[in-house]
Structures are given as structure tokens and as C-alpha cells.
Amino acid sequence: MPRIKKLTAFEILDSRGRPTIWARCELGGGGVGEASVPSGASTGRAEALELRDGDPRRYRGLGCLKAVRNIQEIIADSLVGEELAEQQALDHALIALDGTPDKTRLGANATLAVSLSFARAAANASQQCLFEYLAAAIQNDTPHLPRPTINLFSGGKHAGGQVPIQDCLVVPVSARTIDEAMAMTFEVYQSAAELIAEKYGTRALTADEGGLAPPFPSVEAMFQDAVEAIRKAGLTPGEDVCIALDIASSQFFHNGRYFLDKEGINAKEMIQVLTGWQEKYPIVSIEDGLAEEDWEHWPQLRSAIGERCLVLGDDLLCTNPARIRKAIEARAANALLLKVNQIGTLTEAAEAFRLARSDGWAVTVSARSGETEDNWLADLAVGWSGDQIKVGSITQSERLAKYNRLLLIERQSGLTMRPMTGV
Ligand code: 2PG
Ligand code: MG
């Protein structure tokens, strides 16, 4: 039975140069695991707490030394030497030790770093790849490679707000392998970079996740450029490559109105706008089309487009089982964006995952806009057979670490990519 022998943690920096946490777990039997945690910018209000120091003299308050201390002292003091039969036992011990509904005592960044480093250590101890260990932890006998959804254009909080919506992603639907998916995406991304250089006379300046962010005159101009880039790459929009959107609409929702422009529109009009876009462009997935607390209108959005498009909840759900249950009952969405750091342990994220699957939802396993070079997300998406993975663009090492891991898993394991789901 695994016993934690030693637990250490340090503050390191994420892809925006902000502090985050790295942890190392050493098991009595010899397994060792290290992992670091990501951090969001357009965070949902119902996310578990990411504990920051709040000291304005150091990293403008963003330091993670308190969370590091929580691992080194509170968590290590309580768990080192304890027998922890499996991942669930460790995670339940963390949940109990924290004792709050949203990890406000220890910080979800602290608990997740421990949860993940334990997973790596346990996988290491049993001589399994991380994805095999994660598959076994949820009794998944048929791991699959997820279909990548890759950021092409960025707006909102991840860029300079040139367009209000956050991500315009490409989905290589005709790709049969990760290798094909990446090669197709490379062509589209390069074509898009050339296109915007011609149209806007700008260099390919990129946003937080590597998406291109030229001064589009409108949201639809961005979609048109995406479609044009797909064609320019020699691919057929809607057949080879489709579009996925993260509207991240909570960011421009105020007093019941959606401010796509200065005027603002109400929820019904917003649904019409989204439906219109979905009908006009090859859009197969719309994330956070409505705001996180606009529960009343999400079911209407699902009725309007849910037969032909994923209605994907990110801020709405926050990988939180209680919110997912509510969404299932209300028929508010048909897909979950799963971000482990929104909830703080692998076991709670697994519950979110199982709930979503129990209602036939698709699951997109997602990175955060602030990432590190750690690649565990790829193993998670494979081990749990996520339908899709959302990592960011085909650029920047913190993104490519995950794509490269998928490429290696594909080549080394012989696993296949999931067929296109949900559309
Ligand atoms: C999102 C994510 C990733 P953030 O909104 O889906 O794109 O962004 O990590 O900033 O919440
Ligand atoms: Mg989102």
C-alpha cells in the first residue's frame, strides 16, 4: 500500500511569468512524481480558490508562497507516513484536511499539485504510464486519444480585446490521427498568419495561448478569416476542418445584457446571434455562449443549437459536480469543459467527468491560459478518453509540451483517436 515518504513544493513561473506551484511526491515503495499546476485568466466565479499571497510588494500579490507552505507544512505534516491505498484515498484526505467547499483553506493550487504529483508517483511505482494509471483510476478499459481543438485566433481577455469573444479554434475533423491533426492545423495556422499579414499588415503577434490577434473589424470578420485560412491551406471548411468557439461571455455580460458591442443585447438576442453564426459558419462547438449565472437561458441555447453543435460549459460548470448536476437537470448544456484546477483534485474532477458522461455529454479536457511545460494534461485526456482536448495554439512550448506528449503516446501506445463526437 503506498505511503507518502516525502512531499516538497516550490514556487515556479507559468507561461505568463506569474508564480505557480510545483510539487514532488516520494512514496515509501520508491515511486517519485513531480507536477506543476496551471492558472486561468478568464476564471469562473464558482472555481475553487487559487491561493495567492496578496503581498503587493512581491509579484504584485500573485506569489504562491502561502500555498507552498500549506503543502510543506499542513499537508506534509498530516499525510507523510499515512497509508493511502489509491488516488481516491489521497484526494479524500486532502478534501478533509481543507474542510471547505472551495479549498479556501489550503488553496486548490496546493491540493492539485499534491494530487497530481501523487498520481505520477503512484504510476511510477507501478511502472505504468501516467495515462494508464489515470485510466485505471476511473476503471476506463478503453483509453482513446482526444481530438485536438486548436486556438487560431484570440480575443477578449487573452488578447487585447480586439474582438470580445475569447477563442476561435480549429477542429481538424477529418484527421484520423493526432499526427494528421497537427499537420493539418500547422497549414491552417501558417495560412492564417500569412493572411493577416496581407490584410492587416501586422506581424503574427500572438495572445496568451498563442492565438493570432490582429485588429479584426468585427467578430464575423474573424470567422471569415478562419474559413479563408482553412481554404488557403488546401482544406475544405466543414469537411476537413471545423470551427469551435469560446465566447467566454461572462466577461462581457453586465446587468442582464451581452456587450458584443457598445449597445448590448439581451439573452434571447444573444441566442439568435449565436444560432446565426452556427448556421452560417462551420461551427461545431460553442463554449460559454451565455454567462455563468444566466441559468435561465442556457436551456434555450441548448434547444436552439444543441442538436448540431456542442453547447459547452466552462465558467457555467467550473468542473463542479453540483453545478453539472444542476445543468443536467435543466438541460442547460451537452458538453463539459473539464479543467482540473477549477476543482482542485483528480478525484473530484473524475466525479465531474462521470456525471457528464452519465447524461451522454461530450467532454473537452482543457488547459488554462497560464500553463507550464508540464504535460500531464495529455495523459489525463487520453486516460479518461476525453472527446476533445483544448490546449491553445500550435505554438509556444507550454502548449506544445501537451501536443508532443499526445504525439508520443500515439506513436508508442498504438491507441487511436476518438471519432468526431457530438455533431
Ligand atoms: C478558457 C481558458 C482556456 P482561462 O476560458 O477556456 O482557454 O481560459 O484559463 O483564462 O480560463
Ligand atoms: Mg472558456
Side-chain angles (χ1 to χ4, degrees):
M1 201 167 294
R3 220 163 4 89
I4 296 182
K5 190 168 138 199
K6 195 169 173 203
L7 205 49
T8 35
F10 295 111
E11 190 185 62
I12 59 165
L13 301 180
D14 74 10
S15 52
R16 285 187 277 245
R18 298 178 189 164
T20 185
I21 301 179
W22 172 95
R24 183 173 192 277
C25 174
E26 210 179 309
L27 298 177
V32 175
E34 298 171 351
S36 54
V37 298
S39 171
S42 67
T43 46
R45 262 193 263 156
E47 292 193 21
L49 177 80
E50 181 180 72
L51 185 63
R52 300 278 183 185
D53 296 340
D55 173 359
R57 291 162 306 173
R58 196 168 171 279
Y59 287 111
R60 301 188 174 186
L62 295 172
C64 290
L65 297 178
K66 280 185 191 165
V68 164
R69 266 200 307 278
N70 286 350
I71 297 177
Q72 304 267 41
E73 294 169 11
I74 304 176
I75 299 177
D77 284 356
S78 158
L79 298 189
V80 168
E82 287 293 301
E83 282 191 347
L84 297 158
E86 22 139 66
Q87 188 71 38
Q88 274 197 20
L90 178 268
D91 289 339
H92 284 141
L94 289 171
I95 294 163
L97 193 59
D98 176 80
T100 69
D102 44 12
K103 313 280 182 312
T104 42
R105 179 173 180 226
L106 298 174
N109 41 357
T111 56
L112 184 62
V114 175
S115 185
L116 288 169
S117 59
F118 178 89
R120 275 232 172 91
N124 180 235
S126 55
Q127 289 174 341
Q128 286 174 302
C129 287
L130 183 59
F131 78 81
E132 293 170 324
Y133 169 84
L134 293 168
I138 65 156
Q139 287 97 41
N140 179 15
D141 303 328
T142 51
H144 269 285
L145 298 165
R147 187 167 300 272
T149 62
I150 302 126
N151 208 318
L152 185 64
F153 296 134
S154 297
K157 242 188 173 171
H158 291 179
Q162 291 88 334
V163 285
I165 76 174
Q166 188 175 284
D167 305 317
C168 176
L169 307 107
V170 291
V171 189
V173 293
S174 70
R176 287 155 305 174
T177 61
I178 299 283
D179 179 40
E180 271 182 20
M182 298 320 294
M184 285 164 74
T185 303
F186 177 83
E187 291 299 338
V188 178
Y189 188 89
Q190 296 305 323
S191 301
E194 288 157 13
L195 196 77
I196 66 164
E198 283 162 26
K199 278 199 174 171
Y200 304 103
T202 53
R203 259 187 59 222
L205 294 174
T206 57
D208 286 8
E209 297 187 27
L212 301 162
F216 295 111
S218 68
V219 174
E220 287 214 43
M222 177 172 74
F223 299 156
Q224 282 153 11
D225 284 351
V227 169
E228 205 178 324
I230 296 167
R231 286 219 180 88
K232 196 169 176 314
L235 297 162
T236 308
E239 272 176 39
D240 293 316
V241 179
C242 290
I243 292 174
L245 302 175
D246 183 359
I247 308 291
S249 66
S250 304
Q251 302 295 331
F252 54 84
F253 179 70
H254 308 287
N255 299 326
R257 291 181 80 73
Y258 291 88
F259 289 88
L260 276 171
D261 57 24
K262 281 200 189 82
E263 302 298 304
I265 51 179
N266 66 28
K268 286 211 180 346
E269 291 162 330
M270 184 70 187
I271 293 170
Q272 279 162 12
V273 167
L274 295 172
T275 307
W277 289 345
Q278 201 278 327
E279 282 164 356
K280 196 160 159 200
Y281 302 98
I283 294 170
V284 291
S285 175
I286 298 184
E287 178 183 334
D288 283 352
L290 296 175
E292 58 196 333
E293 298 305 339
D294 195 358
W295 286 96
E296 185 190 341
H297 296 104
W298 272 85
Q300 293 169 29
L301 177 63
R302 176 173 165 172
S303 309
I305 59 170
E307 290 296 317
R308 15 176 233 286
C309 180
L310 297 184
V311 180
L312 184 57
D314 172 15
D315 294 350
L316 176 79
L317 306 169
C318 285
T319 317
N320 181 315
R323 292 177 76 92
I324 296 167
R325 244 178 245 117
K326 181 170 169 184
I328 290 173
E329 271 163 34
R331 297 186 60 75
N334 64 14
L336 165 70
L337 194 85
L338 182 127
K339 290 168 167 168
V340 195
N341 82 324
Q342 286 181 326
I343 190 80
T345 62
L346 280 169
T347 299
E348 288 160 290
E351 195 194 337
F353 179 86
R354 253 192 302 267
L355 268 172
R357 279 275 189 262
S358 73
D359 200 45
W361 289 16
V363 178
T364 297
V365 177
S366 177
R368 300 306 306 245
S369 50
E371 272 291 334
T372 73
E373 59 278 23
D374 199 336
N375 60 12
W376 54 261
L377 190 85
D379 286 80
L380 184 72
V382 175
W384 289 5
S385 300
D387 301 277
Q388 310 192 64
I389 187 167
K390 181 185 175 202
V391 174
S393 219
I394 182 168
T395 174
Q396 303 180 183
S397 296
E398 80 281 4
R399 314 283 146 196
L400 294 166
K402 284 74 163 171
Y403 294 129
N404 285 340
R405 176 72 186 138
L406 288 177
L407 284 168
L408 287 182
I409 294 176
E410 177 167 85
R411 282 164 190 164
Q412 291 172 339
S413 71
L415 292 177
T416 54
M417 186 157 71
R418 279 188 89 87
M420 191 59 199
T421 5
V423 284

Short mmCIF file of all heavy atoms in Angstrom, two decimals, residues 56-86:
data_model
loop_
_atom_site.label_atom_id
_atom_site.label_comp_id
_atom_site.label_asym_id
_atom_site.label_seq_id
_atom_site.Cartn_x
_atom_site.Cartn_y
_atom_site.Cartn_z
N PRO A 56 1.50 42.94 -2.21
CA PRO A 56 1.72 43.73 -3.43
C PRO A 56 3.20 43.99 -3.73
O PRO A 56 3.55 44.35 -4.85
CB PRO A 56 1.00 45.05 -3.12
CG PRO A 56 0.83 45.09 -1.64
CD PRO A 56 0.83 43.67 -1.16
N ARG A 57 4.07 43.76 -2.75
CA ARG A 57 5.49 44.02 -2.99
C ARG A 57 6.18 42.87 -3.72
O ARG A 57 7.33 42.97 -4.11
CB ARG A 57 6.21 44.28 -1.65
CG ARG A 57 5.81 45.59 -1.00
CD ARG A 57 6.17 45.58 0.46
NE ARG A 57 5.59 44.40 1.09
CZ ARG A 57 5.82 44.02 2.33
NH1 ARG A 57 6.62 44.70 3.09
NH2 ARG A 57 5.24 42.93 2.84
N ARG A 58 5.46 41.77 -3.84
CA ARG A 58 6.08 40.61 -4.49
C ARG A 58 5.13 40.08 -5.57
O ARG A 58 4.00 39.73 -5.29
CB ARG A 58 6.33 39.54 -3.43
CG ARG A 58 7.28 38.49 -3.89
CD ARG A 58 7.74 37.58 -2.75
NE ARG A 58 8.48 36.50 -3.37
CZ ARG A 58 7.91 35.43 -3.93
NH1 ARG A 58 6.61 35.27 -3.86
NH2 ARG A 58 8.66 34.53 -4.53
N TYR A 59 5.59 40.06 -6.81
CA TYR A 59 4.77 39.60 -7.94
C TYR A 59 3.37 40.21 -7.91
O TYR A 59 2.39 39.54 -8.22
CB TYR A 59 4.66 38.07 -7.96
CG TYR A 59 5.92 37.34 -8.38
CD1 TYR A 59 6.65 36.59 -7.46
CD2 TYR A 59 6.37 37.40 -9.69
CE1 TYR A 59 7.81 35.91 -7.86
CE2 TYR A 59 7.52 36.73 -10.08
CZ TYR A 59 8.23 35.98 -9.17
OH TYR A 59 9.36 35.31 -9.55
N ARG A 60 3.30 41.47 -7.51
CA ARG A 60 2.01 42.18 -7.48
C ARG A 60 0.92 41.38 -6.76
O ARG A 60 -0.23 41.31 -7.21
CB ARG A 60 1.55 42.55 -8.88
CG ARG A 60 2.56 43.42 -9.59
CD ARG A 60 2.04 43.94 -10.89
NE ARG A 60 3.02 44.88 -11.45
CZ ARG A 60 2.82 45.60 -12.52
NH1 ARG A 60 1.71 45.50 -13.19
NH2 ARG A 60 3.75 46.43 -12.95
N GLY A 61 1.31 40.71 -5.72
CA GLY A 61 0.32 39.97 -4.93
C GLY A 61 0.10 38.54 -5.39
O GLY A 61 -0.65 37.79 -4.77
N LEU A 62 0.73 38.16 -6.52
CA LEU A 62 0.41 36.85 -7.12
C LEU A 62 1.28 35.70 -6.59
O LEU A 62 1.13 34.56 -7.04
CB LEU A 62 0.56 36.93 -8.65
CG LEU A 62 -0.42 37.86 -9.34
CD1 LEU A 62 -0.08 38.02 -10.81
CD2 LEU A 62 -1.85 37.34 -9.20
N GLY A 63 2.18 36.00 -5.68
CA GLY A 63 3.05 34.94 -5.13
C GLY A 63 2.25 33.75 -4.62
O GLY A 63 1.08 33.87 -4.23
N CYS A 64 2.89 32.60 -4.61
CA CYS A 64 2.22 31.37 -4.16
C CYS A 64 2.94 30.77 -2.95
O CYS A 64 2.86 29.56 -2.71
CB CYS A 64 2.20 30.35 -5.29
SG CYS A 64 1.10 30.82 -6.63
N LEU A 65 3.63 31.60 -2.18
CA LEU A 65 4.41 31.05 -1.07
C LEU A 65 3.52 30.48 0.04
O LEU A 65 3.88 29.49 0.68
CB LEU A 65 5.34 32.13 -0.49
CG LEU A 65 6.39 32.64 -1.49
CD1 LEU A 65 7.24 33.74 -0.87
CD2 LEU A 65 7.28 31.49 -1.98
N LYS A 66 2.35 31.09 0.23
CA LYS A 66 1.43 30.54 1.25
C LYS A 66 0.99 29.13 0.85
O LYS A 66 0.95 28.22 1.68
CB LYS A 66 0.16 31.41 1.34
CG LYS A 66 0.33 32.67 2.15
CD LYS A 66 -1.03 33.36 2.26
CE LYS A 66 -0.86 34.76 2.82
NZ LYS A 66 -2.07 35.59 2.59
N ALA A 67 0.64 29.00 -0.42
CA ALA A 67 0.19 27.68 -0.91
C ALA A 67 1.32 26.66 -0.82
O ALA A 67 1.10 25.50 -0.47
CB ALA A 67 -0.33 27.81 -2.34
N VAL A 68 2.53 27.11 -1.13
CA VAL A 68 3.69 26.21 -1.00
C VAL A 68 3.84 25.78 0.45
O VAL A 68 4.05 24.59 0.75
CB VAL A 68 4.97 26.94 -1.50
CG1 VAL A 68 6.23 26.21 -1.02
CG2 VAL A 68 4.97 27.03 -3.02
N ARG A 69 3.72 26.74 1.36
CA ARG A 69 3.83 26.40 2.80
C ARG A 69 2.74 25.43 3.23
O ARG A 69 2.96 24.54 4.03
CB ARG A 69 3.78 27.67 3.65
CG ARG A 69 5.17 28.23 3.97
CD ARG A 69 5.15 29.16 5.17
NE ARG A 69 4.16 30.22 5.06
CZ ARG A 69 4.35 31.35 4.39
NH1 ARG A 69 5.49 31.59 3.76
NH2 ARG A 69 3.41 32.28 4.34
N ASN A 70 1.54 25.63 2.65
CA ASN A 70 0.46 24.70 3.00
C ASN A 70 0.81 23.26 2.63
O ASN A 70 0.45 22.32 3.34
CB ASN A 70 -0.85 25.12 2.31
CG ASN A 70 -1.45 26.36 2.96
OD1 ASN A 70 -0.99 26.78 4.02
ND2 ASN A 70 -2.44 26.95 2.32
N ILE A 71 1.52 23.12 1.51
CA ILE A 71 1.95 21.76 1.13
C ILE A 71 3.05 21.28 2.07
O ILE A 71 2.97 20.18 2.63
CB ILE A 71 2.46 21.74 -0.34
CG1 ILE A 71 1.33 22.10 -1.30
CG2 ILE A 71 3.04 20.35 -0.67
CD1 ILE A 71 1.74 22.18 -2.76
N GLN A 72 4.06 22.11 2.22
CA GLN A 72 5.24 21.70 3.01
C GLN A 72 4.90 21.45 4.48
O GLN A 72 5.50 20.58 5.10
CB GLN A 72 6.30 22.81 3.00
CG GLN A 72 6.75 23.24 1.62
CD GLN A 72 7.97 22.47 1.16
OE1 GLN A 72 8.07 21.27 1.38
NE2 GLN A 72 8.90 23.15 0.52
N GLU A 73 3.96 22.24 4.97
CA GLU A 73 3.66 22.12 6.41
C GLU A 73 2.35 21.36 6.63
O GLU A 73 2.37 20.19 6.98
CB GLU A 73 3.64 23.52 7.06
CG GLU A 73 5.06 24.13 7.03
CD GLU A 73 5.11 25.59 7.41
OE1 GLU A 73 4.10 26.13 7.90
OE2 GLU A 73 6.18 26.21 7.19
N ILE A 74 1.22 22.01 6.36
CA ILE A 74 -0.05 21.38 6.74
C ILE A 74 -0.25 20.01 6.06
O ILE A 74 -0.52 19.00 6.71
CB ILE A 74 -1.25 22.31 6.42
CG1 ILE A 74 -1.07 23.66 7.10
CG2 ILE A 74 -2.56 21.66 6.83
CD1 ILE A 74 -2.13 24.68 6.77
N ILE A 75 -0.10 19.98 4.73
CA ILE A 75 -0.40 18.72 4.03
C ILE A 75 0.67 17.67 4.35
O ILE A 75 0.34 16.52 4.69
CB ILE A 75 -0.52 18.95 2.50
CG1 ILE A 75 -1.68 19.93 2.21
CG2 ILE A 75 -0.73 17.62 1.76
CD1 ILE A 75 -1.87 20.30 0.75
N ALA A 76 1.93 18.06 4.28
CA ALA A 76 3.00 17.08 4.56
C ALA A 76 2.89 16.57 6.00
O ALA A 76 2.96 15.36 6.24
CB ALA A 76 4.36 17.72 4.31
N ASP A 77 2.65 17.48 6.94
CA ASP A 77 2.55 17.04 8.35
C ASP A 77 1.45 16.01 8.53
O ASP A 77 1.58 15.06 9.29
CB ASP A 77 2.21 18.24 9.26
CG ASP A 77 3.44 19.10 9.49
OD1 ASP A 77 4.52 18.71 8.99
OD2 ASP A 77 3.32 20.17 10.12
N SER A 78 0.37 16.21 7.81
CA SER A 78 -0.76 15.32 8.02
C SER A 78 -0.64 14.02 7.22
O SER A 78 -1.10 12.97 7.67
CB SER A 78 -2.04 16.08 7.65
OG SER A 78 -3.05 15.22 7.35
N LEU A 79 -0.05 14.07 6.02
CA LEU A 79 -0.11 12.90 5.15
C LEU A 79 1.16 12.07 5.08
O LEU A 79 1.09 10.89 4.71
CB LEU A 79 -0.53 13.32 3.73
CG LEU A 79 -1.91 13.96 3.61
CD1 LEU A 79 -2.29 14.13 2.15
CD2 LEU A 79 -2.97 13.13 4.31
N VAL A 80 2.29 12.65 5.38
CA VAL A 80 3.52 11.85 5.29
C VAL A 80 3.45 10.72 6.31
O VAL A 80 3.11 10.93 7.47
CB VAL A 80 4.77 12.74 5.50
CG1 VAL A 80 6.03 11.87 5.70
CG2 VAL A 80 4.97 13.65 4.31
N GLY A 81 3.70 9.52 5.82
CA GLY A 81 3.65 8.35 6.69
C GLY A 81 2.32 7.63 6.66
O GLY A 81 2.21 6.47 7.06
N GLU A 82 1.29 8.32 6.16
CA GLU A 82 -0.05 7.68 6.10
C GLU A 82 -0.11 6.67 4.97
O GLU A 82 0.45 6.89 3.90
CB GLU A 82 -1.11 8.76 5.81
CG GLU A 82 -1.43 9.67 6.95
CD GLU A 82 -2.12 8.96 8.09
OE1 GLU A 82 -3.20 8.40 7.87
OE2 GLU A 82 -1.55 8.97 9.20
N GLU A 83 -0.83 5.60 5.20
CA GLU A 83 -1.06 4.65 4.11
C GLU A 83 -2.23 5.14 3.27
O GLU A 83 -3.31 5.38 3.79
CB GLU A 83 -1.37 3.27 4.67
CG GLU A 83 -0.12 2.57 5.13
CD GLU A 83 -0.35 1.11 5.44
OE1 GLU A 83 -1.52 0.70 5.53
OE2 GLU A 83 0.65 0.40 5.60
N LEU A 84 -2.00 5.31 1.99
CA LEU A 84 -3.06 5.81 1.11
C LEU A 84 -3.23 4.80 -0.01
O LEU A 84 -2.39 4.70 -0.90
CB LEU A 84 -2.67 7.19 0.57
CG LEU A 84 -2.50 8.25 1.67
CD1 LEU A 84 -1.63 9.37 1.21
CD2 LEU A 84 -3.87 8.77 2.09
N ALA A 85 -4.31 4.05 0.07
CA ALA A 85 -4.47 2.91 -0.81
C ALA A 85 -4.42 3.32 -2.28
O ALA A 85 -3.89 2.62 -3.11
CB ALA A 85 -5.78 2.21 -0.50
N GLU A 86 -4.94 4.44 -2.62
CA GLU A 86 -5.06 4.80 -4.03
C GLU A 86 -5.33 6.30 -4.14
O GLU A 86 -5.41 7.02 -3.13
CB GLU A 86 -6.21 4.03 -4.66
CG GLU A 86 -7.16 3.58 -3.59
CD GLU A 86 -8.60 3.68 -3.85
OE1 GLU A 86 -9.06 2.95 -4.74
OE2 GLU A 86 -9.26 4.46 -3.14
#
